[in-house]
Amino acid sequence: MSTPELHLIDQAVAQAHQAAAFWAESGRQARAALLDGLAIALEQQQTALIAIAEAETSLGTTRLTGEVARTAFQLRGFADEVRAGVPYMRIDDDAVAGAPPAGRPRLTRVMQALGPVAMFSASNFPFAFSVLGGDTASALAAGCPVVVKAHSGHPRLSRAVYEVAQGVLAEQGLPQGLLGLVEGASRQAGLHLVQHPQIAAVAFTGSYQGGKALWQAANQRPRPIPFFGELGSINPLLALPEILERDGEQLASTLAASITLGCGQFCTSPGVILLLEHPASQRFIESLAQALRPLPTHPMLTEAMRRGFDQGVAHLQQAPAVRPLFEPLADGAGPAPRLFEIQAQAFIEQPELREEVFGPAAVVIRARDVDQARAVLDAIGGTLTATLWGFEQSNEQTRSLLRAARGIAGRVLFSGVPTGVAVTHAQQHGGPWPASTAPQTTSVGYTALERFLRPVALQDAPAWVLEARP
Amino acid sequence: MSTPELHLIDQAVAQAHQAAAFWAESGRQARAALLDGLAIALEQQQTALIAIAEAETSLGTTRLTGEVARTAFQLRGFADEVRAGVPYMRIDDDAVAGAPPAGRPRLTRVMQALGPVAMFSASNFPFAFSVLGGDTASALAAGCPVVVKAHSGHPRLSRAVYEVAQGVLAEQGLPQGLLGLVEGASRQAGLHLVQHPQIAAVAFTGSYQGGKALWQAANQRPRPIPFFGELGSINPLLALPEILERDGEQLASTLAASITLGCGQFCTSPGVILLLEHPASQRFIESLAQALRPLPTHPMLTEAMRRGFDQGVAHLQQAPAVRPLFEPLADGAGPAPRLFEIQAQAFIEQPELREEVFGPAAVVIRARDVDQARAVLDAIGGTLTATLWGFEQSNEQTRSLLRAARGIAGRVLFSGVPTGVAVTHAQQHGGPWPASTAPQTTSVGYTALERFLRPVALQDAPAWVLEARP
């Protein structure tokens, strides 16, 4: 990478740094107005933006229109959080006279914005997890400027959305440095950004290899910084025989649609179907294979991702004890869906099978009993979601499997499919490694803004410090 | 290290793992009763325990008696948190009909205990940050078993307190595995514990080198886990000329006492005194030197720590541009206090001077103006505390320096000295690296229990799942 390009990164970070103190001390009105203004501008420009997005991603205008709506919705949602005072929350402890431990000074716990955030856009949500996506919205709401590393899968869209945002900043008289854009696909650009001394935190959504490398780079700084990375997830779905006996046919078609939704390019795409040995499970596998095999897909987001999918499938085909459940049809616009199966013990013994295959593929795991199904969940270890079908009743079996699912997942579903993540207060999109490098935080939902705040206790603060309440 | 010793670690972790699901699902009553029971037992046995502690640490019975009171206080405080339902907090979002983004399923956000916690005791708080200290109390309150790595500075006390705790567990019919003890001083034991696949999180208080090595080991696991480490802090104290003109004499004696308190063996011990060029600053330096030089200290906690102090002092003496402010008196029971000075620019240019010297020593930094004082704070970068004297009025100078202090510290004090950390809800004992490896968390105060919980969103959960509310 040439020096001029690194210089552009330095410039973007310097501008973010210059805006950081102002934005950290900004009040509810200014922050909410910016977030609302960004939502409005995005909607106003959506026809042009969606056309660029469709040309770059092939995701289809229906999906992209929905994604713009979601992106605007979450910008407005974070504006509401700001208006409700969430980033300005305090805890007040009065002084107590007397000796410690009961005696104590007056303490006021306030939240401090971390400073400039480096944000790595995702490929698969060109609006909702890109320039003005959830990470940017939550960081701005928390009082942090953002330097976006554009995804090379949609560079023109990134630039166009960035320009829309710059228009809003100019209109509102806010510093340009509140949102920076770093373009170019080089690995070195990402490392340079993560290790920049004026970057205070990192938000990342993407591949395991890429994310792990950036996480390591952040940890190798002279002063490591918080790194909020979502690195991949295989999202097990466990269906008990009873529900499959009742609804197997319909569930198979729901699941087939989820596996191929967006060509399987969702972080919550179900990659593993865990079934107990039972005739109903067998019939379900047949229905699923039948439903899945003919489903068409659209082209994948980038050629590199298509190569990654083909390699992942080849790896599954060569793995010991993995068996294809059908011969795939010829590829259409996108790759033909794939379905494999493996016995639980063989899955547990091959850690590399826990790696996400990004695209329209899934693996059926056959467990001989509940204990073995538990062992599969334990072996998966970290996942964004776990879906449990047939858990209406409490019994030893459902309690035991729920315990295992809660132990590994950020979200546990009892109906429906994991694709589609609502933006709410209760949402949790994270989970033990590798689902997240910071499993106690979420990248979707309103508590996402907590990632960019740090508590500071003010001891015996004078009135002017405490009155300065935005 | 011999295999039998590693085997003992494996055994302690296995017992913790066996108790983990039971404790994660335990209710308010059981958890609060355990914490209260531990507090009572500690108090009942305190005469014998303090005698052991005094023989091992030389901290003095007054201090140790106070520390037992603090330890019992915080055990009871966490019992109150449990009774108030803090670890069982939920966020409920009702389902909303319609298409996304507004339409959504029902989501319930619950908190999930992480699992067995490896806890590394501190040397300098043989009760309050050791076997039954703040980390253990907060982890048990959160629903996590704890495996304590005893500090080699007080092995007999660790064993005695562990046995007191085992008595309480037995009396209450609780699994022995809720509290494990790993003894021995080897580095390998610590690494083995941190990398054990059944350990879910680590809490550490100690040296920069030791803590960083364990943090790296946790990050090198196949599945990295949360690491809550407090690695050292130099706790700058900044005094403006005006307050020194008024109260310099008295403040000097207060500060001298803080520097030598506990032989300077506090993580919040003020290691850097930052002053603006002014005649009152000069007089304050002289008063401080006069007050500090004759103060007696008790022996340091361990011989290794004494060697570390001597090396730190030697390093300061050899550093370019560092000047001793007085010839130390001969050592008494403990080392004689030391005071050095350096110009701000020279301090900024020598990053190694930001390393904590654990013991009764401090460095005066002379800044020519507010901008340079800001630059010193920025260079320090991460600290548990920053103390600001003379900040009663809001003006450009105080606002600018407060902004810098908030940017680097977990706690900002406007009066008094940083030694002494109250256990309250608002307390924050953490800060950017190296003060903490997890600057968004605290190891003192009641929000410390959040470290050991992880959110899980339950989507469309059936009634039996939501009713199972402890």
Side-chain angles (χ1 to χ4, degrees):
Chain A
M1 191 177 200
S2 64
T3 310
E5 277 171 309
L6 293 185
H7 176 71
L8 289 176
I9 298 176
D10 293 343
Q11 205 169 55
V13 176
Q15 286 184 346
H17 178 72
Q18 277 160 32
F22 159 74
W23 196 240
E25 290 166 21
S26 64
R28 303 181 190 207
Q29 289 219 309
R31 279 192 217 172
L34 173 59
L35 292 162
D36 282 340
L38 293 170
I40 292 167
L42 202 60
E43 288 170 337
Q44 283 174 343
Q45 313 278 330
Q46 71 175 307
T47 311
L49 295 172
I50 288 170
I52 304 173
E54 174 56 11
E56 290 189 319
T57 68
S58 313
L59 288 173
T61 52
T62 310
R63 147 75 195 270
L64 290 167
T65 306
E67 203 185 314
V68 169
R70 179 208 166 123
T71 309
F73 179 84
Q74 68 195 4
L75 283 161
R76 289 197 178 92
F78 281 109
D80 289 342
E81 292 298 293
V82 169
R83 269 187 290 264
V86 173
Y88 309 103
M89 282 295 188
R90 287 187 179 181
I91 302 177
D92 285 297
D93 283 328
D94 287 338
V96 173
R104 66 188 193 198
R106 183 161 48 81
L107 284 166
T108 310
R109 185 184 175 94
V110 297
M111 301 308 285
Q112 171 82 16
L114 293 182
V117 172
M119 195 284 269
F120 290 77
S121 305
S123 59
N124 58 341
F125 280 96
F127 290 104
F129 277 87
S130 190
V131 180
L132 288 181
D135 286 330
T136 298
S138 54
L140 288 174
C144 299
V146 178
V147 179
V148 175
K149 171 74 174 64
H151 196 280
S152 56
H154 49 271
R156 287 203 299 126
L157 179 67
S158 301
R159 164 59 58 177
V161 172
Y162 168 74
E163 280 164 9
V164 168
Q166 283 300 328
V168 176
L169 289 172
E171 202 179 280
Q172 300 194 0
L174 292 171
Q176 193 185 336
L178 288 184
L179 190 73
L181 186 70
V182 170
E183 297 168 295
S186 91
R187 196 168 161 274
Q188 204 192 336
L191 295 175
H192 186 74
L193 183 57
V194 160
Q195 296 200 319
H196 196 292
Q198 289 176 327
I199 287 295
V202 182
F204 172 91
T205 307
S207 74
Y208 182 76
Q209 294 307 332
K212 190 174 173 188
L214 291 172
W215 171 76
Q216 284 170 334
N219 285 344
Q220 279 157 9
R221 293 166 56 111
R223 184 175 297 137
I225 52 175
F227 188 100
F228 306 101
E230 186 200 309
L231 308 190
S233 175
I234 58 174
N235 305 298
L237 182 149
L238 192 163
L240 295 180
E242 296 72 24
I243 194 169
L244 296 180
E245 281 196 309
R246 209 171 59 221
D247 294 329
E249 199 75 18
Q250 198 208 309
L251 289 171
S253 103
T254 303
L255 179 55
S258 178
I259 292 169
T260 52
L261 188 70
C263 196
Q265 299 168 115
F266 285 104
C267 41
T268 55
S269 194
V272 154
I273 322 299
L274 181 54
L275 302 172
L276 299 178
E277 218 47 69
H278 192 277
S281 299
Q282 186 53 42
R283 283 194 300 277
F284 178 73
I285 293 172
E286 287 155 19
S287 305
L288 178 62
Q290 218 166 12
L292 185 63
R293 186 165 182 259
L295 287 184
T297 63
H298 56 65
M300 292 192 72
L301 287 158
T302 66
E303 280 174 29
M305 291 167 79
R306 176 59 202 255
R307 278 195 302 277
F309 177 72
D310 291 342
Q311 281 162 13
V313 167
H315 181 252
L316 283 172
Q317 274 163 335
Q318 289 152 20
V322 175
R323 194 176 81 81
L325 276 161
F326 54 71
E327 270 303 302
L329 297 180
D331 289 344
R338 309 299 178 105
L339 191 64
F340 299 91
E341 71 170 356
I342 187 171
Q343 296 293 329
Q345 193 53 39
F347 176 83
I348 291 169
E349 285 164 7
Q350 298 180 72
E352 61 280 11
L353 292 181
R354 291 169 218 158
E355 279 166 35
E356 182 180 15
V357 175
F358 204 67
V363 178
V364 172
I365 303 180
R366 293 165 171 276
R368 65 168 178 269
D369 55 23
V370 168
D371 282 349
Q372 208 179 32
R374 269 204 71 133
V376 168
L377 294 175
D378 289 346
I380 289 172
T383 178
L384 291 168
T385 71
T387 302
L388 305 178
W389 283 351
F391 279 62
E392 287 68 31
Q393 303 303 323
S394 172
N395 54 48
E396 210 173 305
Q397 167 175 300
T398 54
R399 286 194 301 271
S400 156
L401 290 167
L402 171 57
R403 186 177 295 138
R406 281 182 58 151
I408 63 165
R411 178 164 55 114
V412 179
L413 297 85
F414 296 84
S415 75
V417 287
T419 41
V421 186
V423 180
T424 79
H425 288 91
Q427 189 56 277
Q428 175 63 20
H429 191 70
W433 183 283
S436 177
T437 60
Q440 301 178 293
T441 66
T442 182
S443 62
V444 180
Y446 297 122
T447 57
L449 76 76
E450 294 173 4
R451 292 178 297 170
F452 305 112
L453 294 167
R454 174 174 70 76
V456 175
L458 303 175
Q459 183 167 325
D460 294 325
W464 70 269
V465 173
L466 298 180
E467 278 159 10
R469 191 165 197 165
Chain B
M1 191 174 202
S2 64
T3 311
E5 278 171 307
L6 293 186
H7 176 69
L8 289 176
I9 298 176
D10 293 343
Q11 206 170 54
V13 176
Q15 287 184 347
H17 177 72
Q18 277 159 32
F22 160 74
W23 196 239
E25 291 167 19
S26 64
R28 303 182 190 207
Q29 289 219 308
R31 279 194 217 172
L34 173 59
L35 292 161
D36 281 340
L38 292 170
I40 292 167
L42 202 59
E43 288 171 337
Q44 281 173 344
Q45 313 278 331
Q46 71 175 308
T47 310
L49 295 172
I50 288 170
I52 303 173
E54 173 55 11
E56 289 189 320
T57 69
S58 313
L59 288 173
T61 51
T62 311
R63 147 74 194 271
L64 290 167
T65 306
E67 203 185 313
V68 169
R70 180 208 167 123
T71 309
F73 179 85
Q74 67 195 4
L75 283 161
R76 289 196 177 94
F78 281 108
D80 289 341
E81 293 298 294
V82 169
R83 270 186 290 263
V86 173
Y88 310 102
M89 283 295 190
R90 288 187 178 180
I91 301 176
D92 285 298
D93 283 328
D94 287 338
V96 173
R104 66 190 192 197
R106 183 161 47 82
L107 284 165
T108 310
R109 185 185 175 94
V110 298
M111 300 308 286
Q112 172 81 15
L114 294 182
V117 173
M119 195 283 269
F120 289 77
S121 306
S123 60
N124 58 340
F125 280 95
F127 290 104
F129 277 86
S130 190
V131 180
L132 287 181
D135 286 330
T136 298
S138 54
L140 288 174
C144 299
V146 177
V147 179
V148 175
K149 171 72 175 64
H151 196 281
S152 55
H154 50 270
R156 287 203 299 127
L157 179 67
S158 301
R159 165 59 57 179
V161 172
Y162 168 74
E163 278 163 9
V164 168
Q166 284 300 329
V168 175
L169 289 172
E171 203 179 280
Q172 299 195 0
L174 293 170
Q176 194 185 335
L178 288 184
L179 189 73
L181 186 70
V182 170
E183 296 168 295
S186 91
R187 196 167 162 277
Q188 204 193 336
L191 294 176
H192 186 74
L193 184 56
V194 160
Q195 297 201 318
H196 196 292
Q198 288 176 327
I199 287 295
V202 182
F204 173 90
T205 307
S207 74
Y208 182 76
Q209 293 307 332
K212 190 174 170 184
L214 291 172
W215 172 76
Q216 284 170 334
N219 285 344
Q220 280 156 9
R221 293 165 56 111
R223 185 174 295 137
I225 52 174
F227 188 99
F228 306 102
E230 185 200 310
L231 308 190
S233 175
I234 59 172
N235 304 299
L237 182 150
L238 192 164
L240 295 179
E242 297 71 25
I243 195 170
L244 296 181
E245 280 195 311
R246 210 170 61 221
D247 294 329
E249 198 75 18
Q250 199 209 309
L251 290 170
S253 103
T254 303
L255 179 54
S258 177
I259 293 169
T260 52
L261 188 70
C263 197
Q265 299 169 116
F266 285 104
C267 42
T268 56
S269 193
V272 154
I273 322 298
L274 181 55
L275 301 172
L276 299 177
E277 218 45 71
H278 191 278
S281 298
Q282 186 53 42
R283 283 195 300 278
F284 178 72
I285 293 172
E286 286 156 20
S287 305
L288 178 62
Q290 219 167 12
L292 185 63
R293 188 167 181 257
L295 287 183
T297 64
H298 57 64
M300 292 193 72
L301 287 156
T302 67
E303 280 174 31
M305 290 168 80
R306 175 60 200 255
R307 279 195 302 277
F309 177 71
D310 291 342
Q311 282 162 10
V313 166
H315 181 251
L316 283 172
Q317 275 164 335
Q318 288 152 20
V322 175
R323 195 177 81 80
L325 276 161
F326 54 70
E327 269 304 300
L329 297 179
D331 288 346
R338 310 297 177 108
L339 190 64
F340 300 90
E341 70 169 358
I342 188 172
Q343 296 294 328
Q345 193 53 38
F347 176 83
I348 291 169
E349 285 164 6
Q350 297 180 71
E352 60 281 11
L353 293 181
R354 292 169 218 158
E355 280 167 33
E356 183 180 17
V357 176
F358 204 66
V363 178
V364 172
I365 302 180
R366 293 165 171 274
R368 65 170 178 268
D369 56 23
V370 168
D371 282 349
Q372 209 180 31
R374 270 204 71 133
V376 168
L377 294 175
D378 289 346
I380 289 171
T383 178
L384 291 168
T385 72
T387 303
L388 305 177
W389 283 351
F391 279 63
E392 286 69 29
Q393 303 303 323
S394 171
N395 55 48
E396 211 172 305
Q397 167 176 301
T398 53
R399 285 194 301 271
S400 156
L401 290 167
L402 171 57
R403 186 177 294 138
R406 281 182 59 151
I408 62 166
R411 178 165 54 115
V412 179
L413 297 85
F414 295 85
S415 74
V417 288
T419 42
V421 186
V423 180
T424 80
H425 288 91
Q427 189 57 277
Q428 174 63 19
H429 191 69
W433 183 282
S436 176
T437 60
Q440 302 178 292
T441 66
T442 183
S443 62
V444 180
Y446 298 121
T447 57
L449 76 76
E450 293 173 4
R451 292 177 297 171
F452 305 112
L453 294 167
R454 177 174 68 77
V456 175
L458 304 174
Q459 183 168 324
D460 294 325
W464 70 269
V465 173
L466 298 180
E467 277 158 12
R469 191 166 198 163

